[in-house]
Amino acid sequence: MDNKLQELTDRLYKEGLSKGKEEGEAILAEASRKAEEIIAAAKKEADAVLRDARKEAEDFRTKVEGDVKMAATQSIQAVRNDIENLMVGKLTDSAVNASLADVEFIKEAIKAVAMNFNAQEAVDLEAVLPETLKGELEPFIKGELAGALKGGISASFSKKVSGGFNIGPKDGSYFISFTDETFRSLISEYLRPATRKILFGE
């Protein structure tokens, strides 16, 4: 009886041990499989993160390069414009200042414009001239020029006009500007292409 009980105990022990071992191996296999899945998913996610990081870095590098190139281009263009403006300004300022300080030149210019206004019919004119040239120009306007025109002409003198003159019909419908700023602007537009070609070969 004791032998049978011992055999039964041994058999139950062996069966339990065997079953436990199988279950343990199954659990271990499942754990190993899940671990491999987790590792594979983590590797896949890491690859995706790395790929996204590389793309972002490349996009950022491209953007920075583009911004640097644009800033460099704008800076170069700004410097070129400054050089061009300086050169054109130097060329025009001295020529315009000299011409518009010449009383005889101003007289001839006013006369030519006024005569064109009066070419077809009598037009009363108003001229605005530099205050600094009032002594030289007022007698000319009231005398020689008024006598040569079909219509009348009156002149006012302003500190706002530093050189040249404005002239137009007395009714104020419009006027033509021949001031130093107008001449500088006009001459500058003609000089710019030539200056650009000399300075930059364009």
Side-chain angles (χ1 to χ4, degrees), residues 127-134 156-163:
V128 181
L129 302 154
E131 178 73 36
T132 54
L133 298 179
K134 183 174 182 179
S156 60
F157 295 86
S158 171
K159 290 180 181 176
K160 291 180 181 177
V161 180
S162 56

Side-chain angles (χ1 to χ4, degrees), residues 100 106 109 113 117 163-167 176-183:
L100 296 183
I106 297 290
V113 174
F117 269 111
F165 59 94
N166 293 319
I167 191 167
I176 298 174
S177 176
F178 291 94
T179 62
D180 47 359
E181 288 105 351
T182 310
F183 276 111

Side-chain angles (χ1 to χ4, degrees), residues 1-13:
M1 183 78 176
D2 286 339
N3 286 340
K4 285 194 178 187
L5 186 60
Q6 184 64 39
E7 283 176 16
L8 183 61
T9 304
D10 288 345
R11 194 177 74 191
L12 286 172
Y13 176 75

Side-chain angles (χ1 to χ4, degrees), residues 68-87:
V68 169
K69 282 179 185 175
M70 187 189 305
T73 301
Q74 289 173 344
S75 296
I76 291 167
Q77 191 57 48
V79 170
R80 288 173 61 157
N81 287 342
D82 288 345
I83 293 169
E84 184 181 319
N85 290 337
L86 182 66
M87 293 299 293

